[in-house]
Amino acid sequence: MIRKNDLKNITPHGFRHTHAILMIETCVDPVNAAKRLGHASSQLTLDTYSHSTVVGEKKAITKFVDYLDSAKG
């Protein structure tokens, strides 16, 4: 399937990391993300997987602009 669709080969660890990052980027709450990943605490999940991404940066800017627009009244 990987060769047929010209996809990048990804290890199980890489897949887990990607899954965790996508959950964070799509605003899955840390408690449920931690449970899904089998972590004992949401802080462990955040410490391990939350870091700046292009998607995350764009979302942060958009949310901030939306907030400023709504504050204008």
Side-chain angles (χ1 to χ4, degrees):
M1 182 185 285
I2 290 171
R3 277 184 253 121
K4 181 180 176 183
N5 293 291
D6 197 31
L7 300 173
K8 180 181 175 186
N9 192 20
I10 187 168
T11 65
H13 177 76
F15 184 75
R16 176 183 172 85
H17 186 81
T18 300
H19 180 64
I21 296 299
L22 291 174
M23 283 193 292
I24 291 168
E25 285 185 348
T26 58
C27 300
V28 171
D29 66 274
V31 172
N32 283 305
K35 182 177 180 182
R36 190 157 170 83
L37 294 166
H39 291 162
S41 75
S42 57
Q43 190 61 51
L44 173 64
T45 303
L46 292 172
D47 289 345
T48 304
Y49 294 106
S50 63
H51 54 272
S52 183
T53 64
V54 172
V55 171
E57 289 175 18
K58 287 180 181 178
K59 280 186 174 185
I61 291 167
T62 300
K63 282 185 175 185
F64 186 66
V65 169
D66 289 348
Y67 171 77
L68 291 177
D69 286 342
S70 70
K72 290 179 189 176

